[in-house]
Structures are given as structure tokens and as C-alpha cells.
Amino acid sequence: MFQVCEEIDLSPSTAINMFAKAMIRKNGFPFVFQIEKPSQETMKAKLSRKR
């Protein structure tokens, strides 16, 4: 989080305040939650690392 904030010249506390205000405006999260299903290639790579 700190690196992202630094890249866009925001302090982490400012970023959190912006997020909180956006939640109030939207009356919920200001973005859509999505769970991406990993590709078969990603799953194979994860399984091969566990062995």
C-alpha cells in the first residue's frame, strides 16, 4: 500500500480518508468485488510449487 501511495504522491492516511469518503458517497464499497478464477496454467504452476 505504501509503495502505491508513494507513486501517486498520497500519504496512506489521505488514501484511507478518500476511501472512507467514497464509501459514504456510494453507501457501500466504491468498487465491485470480484473473485477471479485462476487459469489452468496458474493452477498447474501453483500445484507444481507445492510438490
Side-chain angles (χ1 to χ4, degrees), residues 2-48:
F2 294 106
Q3 183 179 359
V4 173
C5 288
E6 188 175 293
E7 287 179 21
I8 57 174
D9 200 29
L10 282 178
S11 70
S13 62
T14 299
I16 291 169
N17 286 334
M18 290 172 66
F19 176 75
K21 288 177 182 180
M23 284 188 74
I24 292 167
R25 276 194 313 274
K26 295 281 188 171
N27 197 29
F29 284 97
F31 50 83
V32 177
F33 282 101
Q34 293 180 334
I35 299 174
E36 293 185 22
K37 183 178 177 184
S39 68
Q40 288 182 346
E41 183 179 342
T42 301
M43 290 305 296
K44 286 179 186 177
K46 285 183 178 184
L47 290 173
S48 69

